[in-house]
Amino acid sequence: MRYFLVLIPLALLPLLLNDFWVSQVLTRALILGVIALSLSFLATYLGVVSFAQVTLAGVAGYAVAYFGPNTVGLGFPLPLYVSLPIALLLSMAAGALIGLVARRSRGIYAIMITLAIGVAFFYFTRQNYALFNGFTGFSGVIAPKMGEGNWGDPMPLYFLALGVSVICVVLVNGFVRSPLGLAVQAVRDAPGRLLALGIPTTYPIVAAFAFSGLIAGSGGILNVWFQERVSSFSVGIGPIIDVLIISVIGGLRHPTGAFVGAIVYVMLDIFAIDLIDRDRFNLLIGIVLLAIVMAAPNGLHQLAIDWVGKLRGRAEQPRTN
Amino acid sequence: MTLFFVVTLNGLTLAALYFLAASGFSLIFGLMRTVNMAHGALLLFGGYVGWSVVDATGLWALGVMAGGLAAALAGALVQIGVLGRMQGDELRQTLASIAISIILADLMLWIWGGTTYQVRTPSWLTGGTRIEVLGIGYATVRLYLMVFALSVGVGLWLFIQKTRIGAVIRAGVDDQDMLRALGYPINRIFVLVFAMGGMLAGMAGVIAGSALSIAPGTDLQFLLSSLVVVIVGGMGSVGGAALGALLIGLAEQYGLAYAPTYAAVVTFVIMVFVLAVRPQGLLGRAEA
């Protein structure tokens, strides 16, 4: 019921706003939110902060570009009902592979390894021309047709992104309640005990990473349709840090906080120009990140919950007297 | 054969720079379990300061020292002001140091702009030296760089193994709580080690600016190479940093020369292989 209260305004918003707000603010925030959700999911339930989620999104994005229409004359066009599953399967497989590589690493080791994987992928896409078209990547990757227009138009893409976001949140909630999801959380809490019970830890870790690949991949496909291109810059250190910042702002222990973080980030990105020099955006976002880490380590989501709790506490105090 | 020798020397040059950058990074991690993501920014900061000093005074050695000291001071400030306040919370420290590196990178872009700088070297470092044994000529500054890295490595090893402060640092790596209980001022030791790491990074920055060049992006390049080097070599050990730097530096250059398309992947394959066989790194100790 609570979710519907959030969804109804989100579904009505496009009626009130112009195309700029719908596509540059809302759609962008939703897409970034989905990718950041895959990071927050791993951080919350597996206890691993992965820097490779943009890489997973990029794998799906590149797959859609390679197996779909593009203007660089590279690839192997396939119908949508084949290319989309391929893209998602590839991002899941890439996720599983990363999980396999990082399965014995926790905490900061996992951060370093996933970061190194992400950057290695970035350099690889720059140097490989057969699959990734090197530096320039793919352009003209348009979303599929829909009646008169196409799914990439502001309104359809917004509702598509909204739909995918809802599905992803539902999937995450379902996954963590499933037996496999419980095993993943057990790995987070007490890997030693799990091993002692005779349950291998590799399988849940790999499964969690593959699942995060599915979520990140969905976001990656949307992102390619939104940007209409994908290149090495889409998987570079910039986007990697952006997605991390979004997850941290929203709160690494609150998966849905990713969407809160995304909207804050997008607003900062757009309106920083009014606050300070456009060139100093990184300075602003760095200071915001530092402030969040120092003052609200559990993110804005937790901060809001704490405030609401305090206000309620104050309001209830007279009654208890 | 000439190509092979030149590529090998290039690999050793890169390895020497990687070692200078990674040794400080590894030292900080070994003692404090802090992954200092601002390490690359400290390196670039040292490099820029060194360039400015050399540009103003013309004294190269002074530039190296100034770069080292500036980065040491910045490192100490980072530890006192931010990271020291969240000691023990590794994830928060990592995130905070990422924020610091973003802020520093943007401030440096503001001050020094986006141009590529090369530090002017004194006459005894300029030009080439003929190496008769191999029958090739090679840039003098790069040869001295290798000598410098080697002496820093030996010096660092002597400092950690033979001096009293080194013994305290080693004790801190093994059992921080015990050291604290014995009444050693552990927070001051943390700041000292952070400053040392910063100094190594800053000097590496000036030297990288002399042997190669520095520009925005150099910070990331060295941060990432430091990461890979310590993952491969093992955290918190000087020997591990040296071995990792050698492996990665040489692999990168051989990869670039003989398989350009897959150069980035070679490094990655080495890392994955080491992780699969020895997750703690080649010379690292297993986590307790």
Side-chain angles (χ1 to χ4, degrees), chain A residues 49 51 104 108-109 112-113 115-117 119 123-124 127 237 241 280 282-283 286 293-294 297, chain B residues 29 35 91-92 94 99 102-103 106 110 220 224 227 235 261 264-265 268 271 275-276 287:
Chain A
V49 177
F51 279 43
R104 288 205 258 177
I108 33 191
Y109 289 90
M112 288 189 282
I113 288 154
L115 178 62
I117 290 173
V119 175
Y123 282 121
F124 185 61
Q127 289 169 349
I237 192 84
I241 297 291
R280 298 279 81 82
N282 275 342
L283 193 60
V293 173
M294 294 203 74
Chain B
F29 180 85
V35 179
L91 180 61
R92 255 178 99 194
T94 309
I102 295 173
I103 294 171
D106 207 47
W110 203 354
L220 276 179
L224 291 166
L227 278 175
M235 283 286 185
T261 321
V265 187
F268 177 68
M271 194 187 81
L275 280 175
E287 287 285 290

mmCIF file of all heavy atoms in Angstrom, chain A residues 49 51 104 108-109 112-113 115-117 119 123-124 127 237 241 280 282-283 286 293-294 297, chain B residues 29 35 91-92 94 99 102-103 106 110 220 224 227 235 261 264-265 268 271 275-276 287:
data_model
loop_
_atom_site.group_PDB
_atom_site.id
_atom_site.type_symbol
_atom_site.label_atom_id
_atom_site.label_comp_id
_atom_site.label_asym_id
_atom_site.label_seq_id
_atom_site.Cartn_x
_atom_site.Cartn_y
_atom_site.Cartn_z
ATOM 1 N N VAL A 49 30.783 -3.673 -1.082
ATOM 2 C CA VAL A 49 30.626 -2.482 -1.906
ATOM 3 C C VAL A 49 31.357 -2.736 -3.226
ATOM 4 O O VAL A 49 32.569 -2.878 -3.244
ATOM 5 C CB VAL A 49 31.197 -1.236 -1.216
ATOM 6 C CG1 VAL A 49 31.095 -0.031 -2.127
ATOM 7 C CG2 VAL A 49 30.438 -0.971 0.075
ATOM 8 N N PHE A 51 32.484 -1.734 -7.021
ATOM 9 C CA PHE A 51 32.698 -0.618 -7.931
ATOM 10 C C PHE A 51 32.505 -1.045 -9.377
ATOM 11 O O PHE A 51 32.797 -0.302 -10.285
ATOM 12 C CB PHE A 51 34.113 -0.054 -7.771
ATOM 13 C CG PHE A 51 34.252 0.892 -6.607
ATOM 14 C CD1 PHE A 51 33.672 0.608 -5.394
ATOM 15 C CD2 PHE A 51 34.982 2.065 -6.733
ATOM 16 C CE1 PHE A 51 33.807 1.465 -4.320
ATOM 17 C CE2 PHE A 51 35.128 2.932 -5.659
ATOM 18 C CZ PHE A 51 34.535 2.632 -4.461
ATOM 19 N N ARG A 104 36.431 -14.470 -2.486
ATOM 20 C CA ARG A 104 37.146 -14.651 -1.232
ATOM 21 C C ARG A 104 37.525 -13.329 -0.593
ATOM 22 O O ARG A 104 38.209 -13.287 0.415
ATOM 23 C CB ARG A 104 38.416 -15.466 -1.488
ATOM 24 C CG ARG A 104 38.099 -16.923 -1.782
ATOM 25 C CD ARG A 104 39.263 -17.795 -1.425
ATOM 26 N NE ARG A 104 40.011 -18.172 -2.615
ATOM 27 C CZ ARG A 104 41.116 -18.901 -2.582
ATOM 28 N NH1 ARG A 104 41.628 -19.274 -1.428
ATOM 29 N NH2 ARG A 104 41.733 -19.213 -3.690
ATOM 30 N N ILE A 108 37.348 -3.836 2.195
ATOM 31 C CA ILE A 108 38.131 -2.982 1.318
ATOM 32 C C ILE A 108 38.808 -3.758 0.196
ATOM 33 O O ILE A 108 39.013 -3.235 -0.879
ATOM 34 C CB ILE A 108 39.194 -2.224 2.122
ATOM 35 C CG1 ILE A 108 39.653 -3.076 3.267
ATOM 36 C CG2 ILE A 108 38.630 -0.916 2.607
ATOM 37 C CD1 ILE A 108 40.494 -2.352 4.252
ATOM 38 N N TYR A 109 39.106 -5.050 0.446
ATOM 39 C CA TYR A 109 39.706 -5.846 -0.624
ATOM 40 C C TYR A 109 38.737 -5.956 -1.790
ATOM 41 O O TYR A 109 39.121 -5.819 -2.942
ATOM 42 C CB TYR A 109 40.069 -7.237 -0.118
ATOM 43 C CG TYR A 109 41.235 -7.247 0.818
ATOM 44 C CD1 TYR A 109 41.068 -7.111 2.180
ATOM 45 C CD2 TYR A 109 42.526 -7.374 0.319
ATOM 46 C CE1 TYR A 109 42.144 -7.108 3.034
ATOM 47 C CE2 TYR A 109 43.606 -7.375 1.166
ATOM 48 C CZ TYR A 109 43.418 -7.245 2.527
ATOM 49 O OH TYR A 109 44.481 -7.232 3.366
ATOM 50 N N MET A 112 38.701 -2.794 -3.789
ATOM 51 C CA MET A 112 39.853 -2.623 -4.678
ATOM 52 C C MET A 112 39.761 -3.532 -5.885
ATOM 53 O O MET A 112 40.079 -3.141 -7.005
ATOM 54 C CB MET A 112 41.131 -2.902 -3.896
ATOM 55 C CG MET A 112 41.436 -1.802 -2.916
ATOM 56 S SD MET A 112 43.047 -1.995 -2.207
ATOM 57 C CE MET A 112 42.704 -3.256 -1.030
ATOM 58 N N ILE A 113 39.320 -4.765 -5.654
ATOM 59 C CA ILE A 113 39.267 -5.707 -6.768
ATOM 60 C C ILE A 113 38.203 -5.309 -7.774
ATOM 61 O O ILE A 113 38.450 -5.294 -8.986
ATOM 62 C CB ILE A 113 39.038 -7.130 -6.233
ATOM 63 C CG1 ILE A 113 40.318 -7.611 -5.566
ATOM 64 C CG2 ILE A 113 38.630 -8.074 -7.344
ATOM 65 C CD1 ILE A 113 40.091 -8.630 -4.519
ATOM 66 N N LEU A 115 37.019 -2.342 -8.255
ATOM 67 C CA LEU A 115 37.470 -1.114 -8.917
ATOM 68 C C LEU A 115 38.470 -1.453 -10.026
ATOM 69 O O LEU A 115 38.377 -0.940 -11.146
ATOM 70 C CB LEU A 115 38.108 -0.162 -7.908
ATOM 71 C CG LEU A 115 38.657 1.148 -8.467
ATOM 72 C CD1 LEU A 115 37.539 1.972 -9.085
ATOM 73 C CD2 LEU A 115 39.347 1.961 -7.388
ATOM 74 N N ALA A 116 39.403 -2.336 -9.701
ATOM 75 C CA ALA A 116 40.401 -2.722 -10.713
ATOM 76 C C ALA A 116 39.723 -3.393 -11.908
ATOM 77 O O ALA A 116 40.086 -3.140 -13.055
ATOM 78 C CB ALA A 116 41.435 -3.652 -10.096
ATOM 79 N N ILE A 117 38.706 -4.222 -11.645
ATOM 80 C CA ILE A 117 37.981 -4.869 -12.742
ATOM 81 C C ILE A 117 37.288 -3.816 -13.605
ATOM 82 O O ILE A 117 37.374 -3.838 -14.835
ATOM 83 C CB ILE A 117 36.937 -5.864 -12.185
ATOM 84 C CG1 ILE A 117 37.642 -7.067 -11.560
ATOM 85 C CG2 ILE A 117 35.986 -6.329 -13.291
ATOM 86 C CD1 ILE A 117 36.712 -8.012 -10.831
ATOM 87 N N VAL A 119 37.988 -0.669 -14.030
ATOM 88 C CA VAL A 119 38.906 0.151 -14.814
ATOM 89 C C VAL A 119 39.558 -0.664 -15.931
ATOM 90 O O VAL A 119 39.770 -0.172 -17.037
ATOM 91 C CB VAL A 119 39.951 0.799 -13.897
ATOM 92 C CG1 VAL A 119 40.978 1.542 -14.717
ATOM 93 C CG2 VAL A 119 39.264 1.745 -12.949
ATOM 94 N N TYR A 123 39.564 0.338 -19.911
ATOM 95 C CA TYR A 123 40.702 0.373 -20.834
ATOM 96 C C TYR A 123 40.517 -0.619 -21.976
ATOM 97 O O TYR A 123 40.900 -0.361 -23.118
ATOM 98 C CB TYR A 123 42.009 0.090 -20.093
ATOM 99 C CG TYR A 123 42.510 1.287 -19.328
ATOM 100 C CD1 TYR A 123 42.702 1.234 -17.956
ATOM 101 C CD2 TYR A 123 42.775 2.484 -19.977
ATOM 102 C CE1 TYR A 123 43.141 2.339 -17.241
ATOM 103 C CE2 TYR A 123 43.209 3.594 -19.283
ATOM 104 C CZ TYR A 123 43.397 3.515 -17.921
ATOM 105 O OH TYR A 123 43.824 4.616 -17.226
ATOM 106 N N PHE A 124 39.913 -1.767 -21.656
ATOM 107 C CA PHE A 124 39.710 -2.785 -22.685
ATOM 108 C C PHE A 124 38.776 -2.260 -23.779
ATOM 109 O O PHE A 124 39.054 -2.422 -24.964
ATOM 110 C CB PHE A 124 39.145 -4.055 -22.045
ATOM 111 C CG PHE A 124 39.013 -5.191 -23.013
ATOM 112 C CD1 PHE A 124 40.133 -5.694 -23.658
ATOM 113 C CD2 PHE A 124 37.778 -5.754 -23.285
ATOM 114 C CE1 PHE A 124 40.017 -6.742 -24.564
ATOM 115 C CE2 PHE A 124 37.657 -6.797 -24.186
ATOM 116 C CZ PHE A 124 38.783 -7.285 -24.825
ATOM 117 N N GLN A 127 40.578 -0.040 -26.131
ATOM 118 C CA GLN A 127 41.600 -0.613 -27.015
ATOM 119 C C GLN A 127 41.035 -1.625 -27.992
ATOM 120 O O GLN A 127 41.659 -1.946 -28.984
ATOM 121 C CB GLN A 127 42.706 -1.267 -26.169
ATOM 122 C CG GLN A 127 43.551 -0.229 -25.464
ATOM 123 C CD GLN A 127 44.456 -0.835 -24.428
ATOM 124 O OE1 GLN A 127 44.327 -2.006 -24.080
ATOM 125 N NE2 GLN A 127 45.386 -0.049 -23.919
ATOM 126 N N ILE A 237 35.885 5.887 -15.117
ATOM 127 C CA ILE A 237 35.966 6.121 -13.681
ATOM 128 C C ILE A 237 34.936 7.167 -13.249
ATOM 129 O O ILE A 237 34.418 7.115 -12.136
ATOM 130 C CB ILE A 237 37.408 6.538 -13.295
ATOM 131 C CG1 ILE A 237 37.595 6.492 -11.783
ATOM 132 C CG2 ILE A 237 37.766 7.899 -13.818
ATOM 133 C CD1 ILE A 237 37.918 5.134 -11.282
ATOM 134 N N ILE A 241 32.334 6.472 -10.155
ATOM 135 C CA ILE A 241 32.292 7.274 -8.929
ATOM 136 C C ILE A 241 30.907 7.901 -8.747
ATOM 137 O O ILE A 241 30.383 7.961 -7.633
ATOM 138 C CB ILE A 241 33.385 8.370 -8.979
ATOM 139 C CG1 ILE A 241 34.785 7.735 -9.036
ATOM 140 C CG2 ILE A 241 33.285 9.299 -7.782
ATOM 141 C CD1 ILE A 241 35.205 7.040 -7.780
ATOM 142 N N ARG A 280 33.294 23.818 -11.657
ATOM 143 C CA ARG A 280 33.636 23.377 -10.297
ATOM 144 C C ARG A 280 32.632 22.367 -9.747
ATOM 145 O O ARG A 280 32.520 22.193 -8.554
ATOM 146 C CB ARG A 280 33.747 24.584 -9.354
ATOM 147 C CG ARG A 280 34.837 25.568 -9.724
ATOM 148 C CD ARG A 280 36.211 25.111 -9.250
ATOM 149 N NE ARG A 280 36.840 24.131 -10.110
ATOM 150 C CZ ARG A 280 37.504 24.425 -11.216
ATOM 151 N NH1 ARG A 280 37.640 25.641 -11.621
ATOM 152 N NH2 ARG A 280 38.050 23.468 -11.932
ATOM 153 N N ASN A 282 32.697 19.172 -9.758
ATOM 154 C CA ASN A 282 33.353 18.097 -9.013
ATOM 155 C C ASN A 282 33.682 18.524 -7.594
ATOM 156 O O ASN A 282 33.614 17.727 -6.663
ATOM 157 C CB ASN A 282 34.622 17.653 -9.727
ATOM 158 C CG ASN A 282 34.315 16.634 -10.797
ATOM 159 O OD1 ASN A 282 33.243 16.032 -10.791
ATOM 160 N ND2 ASN A 282 35.242 16.450 -11.718
ATOM 161 N N LEU A 283 34.053 19.778 -7.446
ATOM 162 C CA LEU A 283 34.361 20.300 -6.111
ATOM 163 C C LEU A 283 33.108 20.213 -5.238
ATOM 164 O O LEU A 283 33.151 19.731 -4.102
ATOM 165 C CB LEU A 283 34.818 21.748 -6.243
ATOM 166 C CG LEU A 283 35.477 22.368 -5.008
ATOM 167 C CD1 LEU A 283 36.705 21.587 -4.636
ATOM 168 C CD2 LEU A 283 35.841 23.817 -5.298
ATOM 169 N N GLY A 286 32.203 16.583 -4.500
ATOM 170 C CA GLY A 286 33.176 16.042 -3.547
ATOM 171 C C GLY A 286 32.868 16.496 -2.134
ATOM 172 O O GLY A 286 32.909 15.709 -1.186
ATOM 173 N N VAL A 293 29.461 11.558 4.231
ATOM 174 C CA VAL A 293 30.227 10.494 4.886
ATOM 175 C C VAL A 293 30.538 10.883 6.330
ATOM 176 O O VAL A 293 30.491 10.055 7.242
ATOM 177 C CB VAL A 293 31.528 10.204 4.111
ATOM 178 C CG1 VAL A 293 32.402 9.232 4.890
ATOM 179 C CG2 VAL A 293 31.215 9.625 2.750
ATOM 180 N N MET A 294 30.830 12.170 6.555
ATOM 181 C CA MET A 294 31.209 12.584 7.903
ATOM 182 C C MET A 294 29.994 12.773 8.809
ATOM 183 O O MET A 294 30.015 12.398 9.980
ATOM 184 C CB MET A 294 32.019 13.883 7.853
ATOM 185 C CG MET A 294 33.355 13.669 7.160
ATOM 186 S SD MET A 294 34.587 14.869 7.595
ATOM 187 C CE MET A 294 35.026 14.359 9.240
ATOM 188 N N PRO A 297 26.626 9.047 7.855
ATOM 189 C CA PRO A 297 27.237 7.899 7.181
ATOM 190 C C PRO A 297 26.219 6.906 6.632
ATOM 191 O O PRO A 297 26.562 6.101 5.778
ATOM 192 C CB PRO A 297 28.105 7.260 8.260
ATOM 193 C CG PRO A 297 27.664 7.862 9.542
ATOM 194 C CD PRO A 297 27.076 9.189 9.226
ATOM 195 N N PHE B 29 48.300 1.290 4.420
ATOM 196 C CA PHE B 29 47.334 0.223 4.589
ATOM 197 C C PHE B 29 47.806 -0.790 5.626
ATOM 198 O O PHE B 29 47.039 -1.234 6.474
ATOM 199 C CB PHE B 29 47.068 -0.502 3.268
ATOM 200 C CG PHE B 29 46.069 -1.602 3.433
ATOM 201 C CD1 PHE B 29 44.723 -1.315 3.367
ATOM 202 C CD2 PHE B 29 46.465 -2.888 3.710
ATOM 203 C CE1 PHE B 29 43.790 -2.307 3.578
ATOM 204 C CE2 PHE B 29 45.532 -3.888 3.919
ATOM 205 C CZ PHE B 29 44.197 -3.593 3.848
ATOM 206 N N VAL B 35 42.478 2.269 3.250
ATOM 207 C CA VAL B 35 42.754 2.354 1.820
ATOM 208 C C VAL B 35 42.674 3.822 1.457
ATOM 209 O O VAL B 35 41.603 4.394 1.409
ATOM 210 C CB VAL B 35 41.747 1.553 0.993
ATOM 211 C CG1 VAL B 35 42.045 1.693 -0.482
ATOM 212 C CG2 VAL B 35 41.798 0.104 1.382
ATOM 213 N N LEU B 91 35.193 1.264 5.660
ATOM 214 C CA LEU B 91 34.386 1.653 4.501
ATOM 215 C C LEU B 91 34.207 3.171 4.470
ATOM 216 O O LEU B 91 34.344 3.812 3.427
ATOM 217 C CB LEU B 91 33.033 0.952 4.551
ATOM 218 C CG LEU B 91 32.100 1.290 3.388
ATOM 219 C CD1 LEU B 91 32.733 0.882 2.073
ATOM 220 C CD2 LEU B 91 30.757 0.617 3.556
ATOM 221 N N ARG B 92 33.915 3.747 5.650
ATOM 222 C CA ARG B 92 33.743 5.197 5.710
ATOM 223 C C ARG B 92 35.032 5.909 5.326
ATOM 224 O O ARG B 92 35.017 6.920 4.636
ATOM 225 C CB ARG B 92 33.345 5.610 7.127
ATOM 226 C CG ARG B 92 31.901 5.967 7.257
ATOM 227 C CD ARG B 92 31.594 6.321 8.675
ATOM 228 N NE ARG B 92 31.567 7.754 8.881
ATOM 229 C CZ ARG B 92 31.579 8.318 10.093
ATOM 230 N NH1 ARG B 92 31.654 7.575 11.168
ATOM 231 N NH2 ARG B 92 31.528 9.616 10.209
ATOM 232 N N THR B 94 37.348 4.800 3.349
ATOM 233 C CA THR B 94 37.537 4.684 1.903
ATOM 234 C C THR B 94 36.694 5.722 1.172
ATOM 235 O O THR B 94 37.180 6.431 0.290
ATOM 236 C CB THR B 94 37.138 3.273 1.440
ATOM 237 O OG1 THR B 94 37.795 2.323 2.261
ATOM 238 C CG2 THR B 94 37.524 3.045 0.000
ATOM 239 N N ALA B 99 36.148 11.093 -1.566
ATOM 240 C CA ALA B 99 35.662 12.472 -1.603
ATOM 241 C C ALA B 99 36.835 13.450 -1.608
ATOM 242 O O ALA B 99 36.859 14.408 -2.388
ATOM 243 C CB ALA B 99 34.750 12.736 -0.406
ATOM 244 N N ILE B 102 38.480 13.584 -4.971
ATOM 245 C CA ILE B 102 37.697 14.355 -5.950
ATOM 246 C C ILE B 102 37.913 15.854 -5.715
ATOM 247 O O ILE B 102 38.160 16.624 -6.651
ATOM 248 C CB ILE B 102 36.191 14.024 -5.832
ATOM 249 C CG1 ILE B 102 35.935 12.571 -6.205
ATOM 250 C CG2 ILE B 102 35.363 14.946 -6.723
ATOM 251 C CD1 ILE B 102 34.511 12.118 -5.955
ATOM 252 N N ILE B 103 37.858 16.252 -4.429
ATOM 253 C CA ILE B 103 38.026 17.675 -4.100
ATOM 254 C C ILE B 103 39.426 18.148 -4.498
ATOM 255 O O ILE B 103 39.587 19.180 -5.159
ATOM 256 C CB ILE B 103 37.786 17.892 -2.593
ATOM 257 C CG1 ILE B 103 36.323 17.585 -2.249
ATOM 258 C CG2 ILE B 103 38.150 19.311 -2.184
ATOM 259 C CD1 ILE B 103 36.027 17.554 -0.772
ATOM 260 N N ASP B 106 39.945 18.504 -8.252
ATOM 261 C CA ASP B 106 39.299 19.674 -8.833
ATOM 262 C C ASP B 106 40.031 20.962 -8.440
ATOM 263 O O ASP B 106 40.177 21.875 -9.250
ATOM 264 C CB ASP B 106 37.831 19.734 -8.406
ATOM 265 C CG ASP B 106 36.991 20.466 -9.440
ATOM 266 O OD1 ASP B 106 37.153 20.146 -10.629
ATOM 267 O OD2 ASP B 106 36.224 21.363 -9.075
ATOM 268 N N TRP B 110 41.882 23.624 -10.896
ATOM 269 C CA TRP B 110 41.607 25.048 -10.770
ATOM 270 C C TRP B 110 42.915 25.840 -10.774
ATOM 271 O O TRP B 110 43.066 26.821 -11.486
ATOM 272 C CB TRP B 110 40.840 25.277 -9.467
ATOM 273 C CG TRP B 110 40.024 26.532 -9.455
ATOM 274 C CD1 TRP B 110 39.999 27.504 -10.402
ATOM 275 C CD2 TRP B 110 39.110 26.928 -8.441
ATOM 276 N NE1 TRP B 110 39.118 28.484 -10.035
ATOM 277 C CE2 TRP B 110 38.561 28.167 -8.839
ATOM 278 C CE3 TRP B 110 38.699 26.370 -7.218
ATOM 279 C CZ2 TRP B 110 37.621 28.846 -8.066
ATOM 280 C CZ3 TRP B 110 37.767 27.050 -6.453
ATOM 281 C CH2 TRP B 110 37.236 28.272 -6.878
ATOM 282 N N LEU B 220 44.776 9.442 -11.018
ATOM 283 C CA LEU B 220 44.027 8.182 -11.131
ATOM 284 C C LEU B 220 44.909 7.052 -11.617
ATOM 285 O O LEU B 220 44.851 5.941 -11.117
ATOM 286 C CB LEU B 220 42.871 8.365 -12.108
ATOM 287 C CG LEU B 220 41.621 8.956 -11.498
ATOM 288 C CD1 LEU B 220 40.561 9.106 -12.559
ATOM 289 C CD2 LEU B 220 41.135 8.041 -10.377
ATOM 290 N N LEU B 224 45.373 3.728 -9.401
ATOM 291 C CA LEU B 224 44.962 2.416 -9.870
ATOM 292 C C LEU B 224 46.142 1.465 -9.946
ATOM 293 O O LEU B 224 46.051 0.307 -9.549
ATOM 294 C CB LEU B 224 44.297 2.543 -11.242
ATOM 295 C CG LEU B 224 42.957 3.252 -11.126
ATOM 296 C CD1 LEU B 224 42.456 3.693 -12.472
ATOM 297 C CD2 LEU B 224 41.959 2.352 -10.433
ATOM 298 N N LEU B 227 46.890 0.317 -6.563
ATOM 299 C CA LEU B 227 45.922 -0.703 -6.140
ATOM 300 C C LEU B 227 46.321 -2.074 -6.670
ATOM 301 O O LEU B 227 46.422 -3.044 -5.915
ATOM 302 C CB LEU B 227 44.529 -0.354 -6.678
ATOM 303 C CG LEU B 227 43.694 0.646 -5.915
ATOM 304 C CD1 LEU B 227 42.421 0.944 -6.672
ATOM 305 C CD2 LEU B 227 43.379 0.098 -4.549
ATOM 306 N N MET B 235 49.499 -6.730 0.645
ATOM 307 C CA MET B 235 49.322 -5.476 1.369
ATOM 308 C C MET B 235 50.332 -5.318 2.489
ATOM 309 O O MET B 235 50.624 -6.273 3.202
ATOM 310 C CB MET B 235 47.929 -5.452 1.988
ATOM 311 C CG MET B 235 46.869 -5.150 0.997
ATOM 312 S SD MET B 235 46.957 -3.430 0.620
ATOM 313 C CE MET B 235 45.543 -3.267 -0.423
ATOM 314 N N THR B 261 46.614 -4.498 -28.241
ATOM 315 C CA THR B 261 45.179 -4.531 -28.003
ATOM 316 C C THR B 261 44.858 -5.036 -26.604
ATOM 317 O O THR B 261 43.850 -4.673 -26.014
ATOM 318 C CB THR B 261 44.491 -5.455 -29.030
ATOM 319 O OG1 THR B 261 45.117 -5.264 -30.272
ATOM 320 C CG2 THR B 261 43.023 -5.143 -29.125
ATOM 321 N N ALA B 264 45.935 -3.790 -21.446
ATOM 322 C CA ALA B 264 45.216 -3.569 -20.184
ATOM 323 C C ALA B 264 44.793 -4.898 -19.577
ATOM 324 O O ALA B 264 44.705 -5.050 -18.370
ATOM 325 C CB ALA B 264 44.001 -2.680 -20.427
ATOM 326 N N VAL B 265 44.533 -5.855 -20.450
ATOM 327 C CA VAL B 265 44.018 -7.124 -19.971
ATOM 328 C C VAL B 265 45.121 -7.968 -19.327
ATOM 329 O O VAL B 265 44.872 -8.725 -18.395
ATOM 330 C CB VAL B 265 43.348 -7.886 -21.133
ATOM 331 C CG1 VAL B 265 42.658 -9.124 -20.624
ATOM 332 C CG2 VAL B 265 42.352 -6.974 -21.820
ATOM 333 N N PHE B 268 45.344 -7.249 -15.809
ATOM 334 C CA PHE B 268 44.154 -7.770 -15.166
ATOM 335 C C PHE B 268 44.251 -9.289 -14.968
ATOM 336 O O PHE B 268 43.903 -9.813 -13.905
ATOM 337 C CB PHE B 268 42.954 -7.410 -16.035
ATOM 338 C CG PHE B 268 41.670 -7.943 -15.538
ATOM 339 C CD1 PHE B 268 41.123 -7.456 -14.365
ATOM 340 C CD2 PHE B 268 41.004 -8.932 -16.226
ATOM 341 C CE1 PHE B 268 39.933 -7.951 -13.898
ATOM 342 C CE2 PHE B 268 39.814 -9.428 -15.766
ATOM 343 C CZ PHE B 268 39.273 -8.944 -14.608
ATOM 344 N N MET B 271 46.379 -10.094 -12.107
ATOM 345 C CA MET B 271 45.693 -9.843 -10.850
ATOM 346 C C MET B 271 44.719 -10.969 -10.513
ATOM 347 O O MET B 271 44.700 -11.476 -9.387
ATOM 348 C CB MET B 271 44.956 -8.506 -10.929
ATOM 349 C CG MET B 271 44.502 -7.984 -9.605
ATOM 350 S SD MET B 271 43.492 -6.530 -9.820
ATOM 351 C CE MET B 271 41.935 -7.262 -10.231
ATOM 352 N N LEU B 275 44.878 -13.543 -7.374
ATOM 353 C CA LEU B 275 43.745 -13.638 -6.452
ATOM 354 C C LEU B 275 43.244 -15.068 -6.329
ATOM 355 O O LEU B 275 42.850 -15.516 -5.248
ATOM 356 C CB LEU B 275 42.601 -12.752 -6.932
ATOM 357 C CG LEU B 275 42.739 -11.286 -6.619
ATOM 358 C CD1 LEU B 275 41.607 -10.512 -7.242
ATOM 359 C CD2 LEU B 275 42.752 -11.083 -5.116
ATOM 360 N N ALA B 276 43.254 -15.777 -7.450
ATOM 361 C CA ALA B 276 42.751 -17.141 -7.433
ATOM 362 C C ALA B 276 43.676 -18.043 -6.622
ATOM 363 O O ALA B 276 43.234 -18.934 -5.896
ATOM 364 C CB ALA B 276 42.606 -17.658 -8.860
ATOM 365 N N GLU B 287 44.953 -12.831 6.160
ATOM 366 C CA GLU B 287 44.195 -12.083 7.164
ATOM 367 C C GLU B 287 43.878 -12.989 8.345
ATOM 368 O O GLU B 287 43.507 -14.136 8.173
ATOM 369 C CB GLU B 287 42.885 -11.582 6.560
ATOM 370 C CG GLU B 287 43.076 -10.444 5.599
ATOM 371 C CD GLU B 287 43.376 -9.140 6.316
ATOM 372 O OE1 GLU B 287 42.484 -8.617 6.964
ATOM 373 O OE2 GLU B 287 44.515 -8.673 6.221
#
